[in-house]
Amino acid sequence: MQHTDSDPARRAITTTYDVLSQLNGPFSDRLEFLRRDNNEPAADALILTTMHSSKGLEWDRVWIIRAEETVVPDEKSTESEERRLFYVAVTRAREDLRLSMAKKNPTSRFVLEAGIDAAIAT
């Protein structure tokens, strides 16, 4: 943990440790268990992921929640990186893309720039 420089890295390490510590057997067997195909989601499973980890993946239906300013883009990241991540997220949908926003917050500039119909997106 002392070698990580970000909260997401610390959370990833903690989550992985929590999962591995709940499994039985030697550490190498625990890692092997996590790599098995039986850990793949069922065809009808709901998969929750981040924009960061969705690169290279596709789903029939994709929901992007909180497509709002200060969330997308995140103020702590560069706008170019956030724009790239939003593009990746939007292009993961094969058939249906839905966006949600809270009415009290402004819609993300990325949604507006993409010309996504707000009536469909909300």
Side-chain angles (χ1 to χ4, degrees):
M1 293 292 274
Q2 66 191 15
H3 299 290
T4 62
D5 59 358
S6 69
D7 286 335
R10 286 186 194 95
R11 284 194 302 271
I13 290 169
T14 301
T15 301
T16 303
Y17 176 80
D18 290 345
V19 169
L20 289 173
S21 65
Q22 293 178 18
L23 298 173
N24 295 320
F27 187 73
S28 60
D29 290 351
R30 296 178 202 187
L31 288 174
E32 179 57 34
F33 174 79
L34 294 176
R35 290 186 186 118
R36 290 184 195 157
D37 287 341
N38 65 354
N39 290 314
E40 293 297 316
D44 62 347
L46 173 65
I47 300 169
L48 301 177
T49 187
T50 63
M51 290 183 190
H52 291 84
S53 62
S54 67
K55 186 176 180 182
L57 303 173
E58 284 188 325
W59 297 279
D60 291 339
R61 285 164 285 291
V62 170
W63 281 77
I64 299 174
I65 58 171
R66 304 247 6 235
E68 308 158 14
E69 285 296 315
T70 72
V71 178
V72 179
D74 184 336
E75 297 172 329
K76 298 174 190 152
S77 184
T78 65
E79 183 165 339
S80 61
E81 176 66 8
E82 290 292 301
R83 187 179 306 281
R84 185 190 68 75
L85 287 171
F86 183 75
Y87 174 81
V88 166
V90 167
T91 58
R92 302 304 90 195
R94 289 186 199 115
E95 298 173 16
D96 187 33
L97 171 66
R98 302 289 174 118
L99 302 166
S100 72
M101 303 80 134
K103 289 184 179 183
K104 66 180 184 173
N105 298 325
T107 299
S108 169
R109 68 191 87 156
F110 300 155
V111 173
L112 301 174
E113 291 169 4
I116 299 172
D117 185 0
I120 294 171
T122 58

